[in-house]
Amino acid sequence: LQSNSCGPGFAEGNTSSEEQAMIKIVGDSYLPSPSLPDFHGCSPGWSSAFYGAECFDSEVHSYLKNLGKQKSSESQNIDAKKVELEQLLMMETKNYRKTIKFYQKLLQKERRSKGPETKSMLPKLKGQLQEMKSKVQFLELVKKYMQAKQWGVESCVLPTVIHNGKTDPMDMAPMNESSLLLYYNTEKHQCNNQNGVRVLQAGTPLGLMAYLYSRNAFLEGYVQQFLYTFRYFCTQEEFLQFLLDRISSTLSSASLDPSTSLTKICNRSFYILQAWIEDCYSVDFATNTDLLGTLKEFISSKVASLNGYGERLLSLLEDASTRKSGSADQCSSVDKCEGESEEGRKTLHSLCKKLSEDVSRKSYWKLSKGMGPIAQYQRERLHTGSAVLPKPCCSSFTEETSVSFARADEVGPFLLLECSAQQLCWQLTLLQQEVFHKCHPVHFLNSRALGVKDKCVAVPKAVSADPVSLKVCNLFLSKCIQDQYLLQLLKNADSISTWVAAEIVTCHTTKRQVSLLSKFLLISKCCYEQRNFATAMQILAGLENLIVRQLPAWKILPAKVAEIMEELKAVEVFLKSDSLCLMEGDRFKTLPTIPSAHVLAMHVQQLETGGFTMTNGAHKWTKLRNIAKVVSQVHAFQENPYTYAPDFKLQSYLRQRITRFKDADISALAADNCANFHQIPAEKHSRKIQDTLRRMKATFQ
């Protein structure tokens, strides 16, 4: 279940958005509008797009069936089930919250006293926490299932959905479902007992939008898949207008009776609109002020005057805007990050991880004040190499921080050698996580139009504010506005790779180059073992730089360390082999993961190859569904963040070094360093010349 916002206290990264919403309800009761149903957390989440109908297994079905029954075994209505489920969820969430706080206190006590009683209690309490968390998540899933079953209409009513939004009598030509949507039949479905299931195969843009109102649209994962992929066949303005037209035509006549079609269409329209805002605000509304203005104007003039739900929608837009601006400023100031509360930031996952990792909050390293003659020599090296280095400038990843202690230019690469590979891995992972958590699944769509190509073609060096010239490779509609954050993500990856290569070629001795090569190889190994595949592949790209691969230091690299290079190449082949290889099993649900942005973009491009429409003009939904499934893993990985203790000083040092070298010319840097060339001993060299002259004389005699 997806989480896009931070809940209070412990609920930050490892709890679902629904769970966070429930915690908010516990602390601050919220009464829904009497004229519209209770919409809390309408976004189906990544799991709906990834698993589809399999998201809700038989256990969820049976639990909901038995929910709300009296002792006489008489089944109750849906309202009674909702009340009982809300009470159970509130109670379990409250107990879970209390147990978290108790676990935090016990963990702090164990650190101070290290008593045997406390140590014996911690593992038991940890197990109880996992059970309680699983129960809360299961109840959230049941709640989503209950919500998903509401407000849908039968397939035969879908043409009525389309006609309800039309105001022109000349545009009321009769139409049937077959002219809008194409299906294919399958055998018995895993999640229900139907003997035959119709699966959507293709549809017209109007038909695909109308299918959002189908009774099983949420249960099949269609709604979330649609929100990820609709830009291939309609613009944001067209989709918004479609929803607003249905609301306008049904809002005044919709009643509280859930059995009427008008009520179902009206409520489903609000449900989809809220799900769109919750899930895609950053990529659709935040980048399109006209779209946002149209929505706000409609809510203020049409919805707010009839019921209180308009105010809730405006509040939702305001909260989404705040989260967007907050995420843009996240971790931009070291002082701000240091001032955050420890208990407020740490999740259950981090607290449990503390038992095995024993991460210290203290800085892992200290700067020696003078660094002796080494620092003086490094200053000279930096001064002579400054001509080939670009002037540092700030980017989203390499924001300058106000840390007065570090002068990275003077310190040079020596701190990389002082710190352990694990320390550097942790801090590089946190820096990578900072930029990864700002991306959205939609960012990876239509990347060819942004100029993203395979590794053999360089990614654009700079991300400008000017709109990218969209050529024939554009798969979105021409008027569809596309966020270009993927370019920024790939630029950050290039900066890391260039930094790795630059640090190595600027080392003044072969021995130091061997040490730095070994350090980067060990860092990359630690990264991929911790499932930070992004940084691991970035380091590999830096090590595979043509200049770096020709360095003499590789020949004297220890064999065990050199083997890591082959491991990295094997990992790269594994990542490229299957678009869903990181989603296999259940490890991604419990272990944090950062995928390689470039590899993921190439997988999506592969799925985008070929036509999107059939011969009759209908858009292939099977193709769009597969694309949605692949990009949904972005939200899945963002749910489970890394919880390493940040070392802000080390992060500041790394940021400054990356900024310094991010646009460097590696060949120019290497040419200024004699350690980058194979040296021939003077005696051996003169002997070779004499032997050559002797052979030349013999040819003329």
Side-chain angles (χ1 to χ4, degrees):
L1 300 177
Q2 180 186 344
S3 67
N4 290 330
S5 60
C6 293
F10 67 90
E12 182 188 23
N14 288 348
T15 54
S16 65
S17 58
E18 284 289 312
E19 183 178 338
Q20 294 169 11
M22 176 52 61
I23 293 168
K24 186 176 181 181
I25 294 170
V26 173
D28 183 18
S29 297
Y30 197 94
L31 294 177
S33 169
S35 57
L36 278 174
D38 184 16
F39 295 142
H40 282 298
C42 294
S43 175
W46 69 266
S47 57
S48 176
F50 185 79
Y51 294 109
E54 296 177 359
C55 181
F56 306 104
D57 55 19
S58 58
E59 187 178 357
V60 174
H61 287 256
S62 59
Y63 186 89
L64 183 60
K65 184 178 180 180
N66 297 324
L67 192 65
K69 283 189 176 181
Q70 300 286 4
K71 293 182 180 180
S72 59
S73 299
E74 293 180 359
S75 60
Q76 289 189 346
N77 58 23
I78 190 67
D79 292 331
K81 292 178 182 288
K82 287 170 65 176
V83 170
E84 184 174 343
L85 181 61
E86 291 287 351
Q87 291 175 347
L88 287 171
L89 190 53
M90 187 177 297
M91 181 178 63
E92 292 295 336
T93 304
K94 190 175 182 180
N95 292 337
Y96 179 44
R97 194 176 186 177
K98 287 182 178 178
T99 310
I100 282 283
K101 292 181 179 179
F102 178 65
Y103 184 87
Q104 289 175 331
K105 293 179 181 179
L106 203 63
L107 191 61
Q108 293 174 355
K109 183 179 179 181
E110 186 269 339
R111 285 175 179 171
R112 291 194 300 266
S113 62
K114 297 183 179 180
E117 296 181 358
T118 307
K119 283 188 175 182
S120 62
M121 287 181 63
L122 282 173
K124 297 179 181 179
L125 191 58
K126 178 182 175 182
Q128 293 177 6
L129 280 172
Q130 294 293 352
E131 291 179 5
M132 296 174 71
K133 179 182 177 181
S134 298
K135 190 168 184 179
V136 170
Q137 289 177 338
F138 176 77
L139 292 175
E140 290 287 351
L141 193 61
V142 175
K143 182 179 178 181
K144 275 192 179 294
Y145 177 71
M146 185 183 297
Q147 290 177 334
K149 291 186 67 177
Q150 296 185 90
W151 318 125
V153 298
E154 298 299 330
S155 299
C156 58
V157 188
L158 293 181
T160 305
V161 173
I162 295 176
H163 283 304
N164 271 330
K166 294 183 178 180
T167 56
D168 187 1
M170 300 298 294
D171 199 22
M172 290 288 190
M175 62 178 67
N176 52 30
E177 186 188 3
S178 60
S179 65
L180 300 171
L181 301 166
L182 295 177
Y183 300 89
Y184 64 89
N185 293 323
T186 62
E187 296 180 357
K188 182 178 176 180
H189 201 276
Q190 296 178 359
C191 295
N192 52 46
N193 295 322
Q194 297 177 8
N195 294 325
V197 176
R198 292 199 314 168
V199 178
L200 183 62
Q201 182 181 11
T204 65
L206 198 58
L208 293 176
M209 286 189 281
Y211 193 75
L212 291 167
Y213 293 80
S214 173
R215 183 171 56 88
N216 293 325
F218 272 93
L219 297 179
E220 296 170 355
Y222 178 84
V223 173
Q224 188 66 42
Q225 294 162 358
F226 180 95
L227 293 177
Y228 285 158
T229 59
F230 72 85
R231 298 153 197 84
Y232 288 108
F233 55 86
C234 74
T235 65
Q236 293 97 331
E237 287 80 5
E238 290 171 345
F239 179 40
L240 178 62
Q241 194 59 50
F242 180 86
L243 294 177
L244 299 187
D245 287 344
R246 270 79 214 154
I247 294 175
S248 298
S249 61
T250 59
L251 184 60
S252 59
S253 55
S255 64
L256 292 177
D257 184 4
S259 62
T260 63
S261 296
L262 290 179
T263 302
K264 290 180 178 180
I265 293 173
C266 182
N267 290 337
R268 178 61 70 92
S269 298
F270 279 116
Y271 206 100
I272 295 168
L273 179 60
Q274 183 169 331
W276 185 18
I277 296 171
E278 289 173 356
D279 196 81
C280 300
Y281 179 88
S282 61
V283 292
D284 288 327
F285 295 96
T287 58
N288 191 339
T289 55
D290 292 338
L291 187 75
L292 183 60
T294 301
L295 177 58
K296 287 184 175 180
E297 173 64 24
F298 177 84
I299 295 173
S300 301
S301 60
K302 298 291 182 66
V303 182
S305 59
L306 294 179
N307 54 61
Y309 189 64
E311 296 180 1
R312 291 171 54 187
L313 278 177
L314 291 173
S315 177
L316 179 66
L317 288 171
E318 186 66 28
D319 292 342
S321 176
T322 303
R323 286 198 303 270
K324 171 69 175 176
S325 58
S327 63
D329 299 332
Q330 188 179 12
C331 296
S332 61
S333 170
V334 173
D335 295 334
K336 179 181 178 181
C337 293
E338 286 180 329
E340 290 180 355
S341 169
E342 176 74 12
E343 292 186 4
R345 281 188 288 110
K346 297 302 176 186
T347 63
L348 168 67
H349 181 70
S350 69
L351 294 170
C352 295
K353 208 173 178 95
K354 292 287 187 182
L355 293 173
S356 57
E357 289 184 353
D358 192 25
V359 178
S360 173
R361 288 292 298 163
K362 296 181 180 179
S363 178
Y364 292 111
W365 49 272
K366 294 181 180 179
L367 275 174
S368 53
K369 292 184 179 179
M371 296 295 288
I374 298 178
Q376 178 63 32
Y377 179 81
Q378 184 66 10
R379 287 192 201 101
E380 295 173 1
R381 298 290 304 171
L382 287 168
H383 184 71
T384 58
S386 61
V388 296
L389 286 174
K391 294 182 179 180
C393 62
C394 294
S395 67
S396 65
F397 180 75
T398 54
E399 295 171 357
E400 290 193 32
T401 53
S402 56
V403 182
S404 59
F405 94 101
R407 298 176 66 183
D409 290 350
E410 295 184 5
V411 175
F414 301 104
L415 286 176
L416 294 175
L417 300 174
E418 281 189 23
C419 297
S420 69
Q422 187 181 57
Q423 292 167 352
L424 292 166
C425 166
W426 287 352
Q427 302 312 311
L428 286 171
T429 297
L430 291 178
L431 291 178
Q432 188 63 43
Q433 178 173 263
E434 180 181 327
V435 293
F436 173 65
H437 276 210
K438 295 176 184 177
C439 72
H440 189 279
V442 176
H443 288 142
F444 291 87
L445 305 179
N446 195 31
S447 58
R448 280 194 186 93
L450 300 178
V452 178
K453 300 180 181 179
D454 208 349
K455 272 189 175 181
C456 58
V457 181
V459 177
K461 282 276 184 180
V463 180
S464 64
D466 300 331
V468 177
S469 58
L470 302 181
K471 301 180 181 179
V472 291
C473 59
N474 183 23
L475 299 175
F476 286 177
L477 295 189
S478 58
K479 294 183 180 179
C480 192
I481 297 178
Q482 183 173 6
D483 194 330
Q484 301 175 20
Y485 184 74
L486 178 62
L487 292 182
Q488 193 173 332
L489 202 61
L490 297 179
K491 173 60 181 174
N492 290 331
D494 283 349
S495 299
I496 300 289
S497 301
T498 307
W499 163 67
V500 170
E503 292 284 15
I504 295 170
V505 300
T506 53
C507 286
H508 59 280
T509 64
T510 302
K511 182 179 179 181
R512 194 168 293 279
Q513 278 187 347
V514 171
S515 299
L516 205 53
L517 278 172
S518 301
K519 181 59 64 71
F520 278 123
L521 284 168
L522 291 171
I523 292 172
S524 60
K525 180 180 176 66
C526 184
C527 283
Y528 81 73
E529 287 178 346
Q530 299 298 320
R531 293 178 65 87
N532 175 11
F533 298 102
T535 304
M537 293 300 100
Q538 291 159 10
I539 294 176
L540 175 61
L543 296 176
E544 286 190 322
N545 180 281
L546 184 60
I547 304 296
V548 176
R549 288 300 291 163
Q550 295 176 351
L551 295 178
W554 287 98
K555 293 186 176 181
I556 56 176
L557 198 66
K560 289 186 177 180
V561 178
E563 289 175 358
I564 299 176
M565 193 69 177
E566 300 305 316
E567 292 181 27
L568 288 173
K569 292 180 180 178
V571 171
E572 184 180 32
V573 172
F574 168 73
L575 295 176
K576 292 180 177 180
S577 64
D578 183 8
S579 58
L580 297 174
C581 60
L582 298 181
M583 298 289 284
E584 295 177 357
D586 292 331
R587 295 191 67 194
F588 74 92
K589 296 179 181 178
T590 56
L591 299 177
T593 304
I594 301 180
S596 169
H598 187 269
V599 173
L600 181 56
M602 290 302 102
H603 279 306
V604 176
Q605 283 191 12
Q606 185 67 28
L607 292 173
E608 290 175 334
T609 303
F612 276 78
T613 57
M614 303 177 70
T615 55
N616 61 355
H619 290 262
K620 300 176 183 176
W621 179 249
T622 51
K623 185 184 184 78
L624 296 173
R625 182 169 57 234
N626 289 334
I627 293 174
K629 184 174 182 179
V630 170
V631 297
S632 68
Q633 59 187 305
V634 173
H635 275 158
F637 297 146
Q638 289 173 343
E639 258 193 8
N640 219 356
Y642 290 89
T643 55
Y644 304 133
D647 187 334
F648 298 110
K649 295 180 179 179
L650 180 53
Q651 286 185 15
S652 175
Y653 165 78
L654 292 171
R655 287 176 188 271
Q656 292 181 51
R657 296 298 290 179
I658 294 169
T659 302
R660 177 174 177 79
F661 289 114
K662 67 187 182 73
D663 291 321
D665 186 341
I666 302 301
S667 59
L669 287 175
D672 191 46
N673 192 351
C674 61
N676 297 322
F677 304 96
H678 294 271
Q679 305 295 328
I680 302 176
E683 294 180 3
K684 185 176 180 181
H685 185 62
S686 61
R687 194 180 304 115
K688 280 187 175 183
I689 295 176
Q690 292 174 6
D691 291 342
T692 303
L693 289 173
R694 197 176 297 113
R695 286 194 299 270
M696 291 293 292
K697 287 180 180 179
T699 59
F700 292 107
Q701 291 178 352

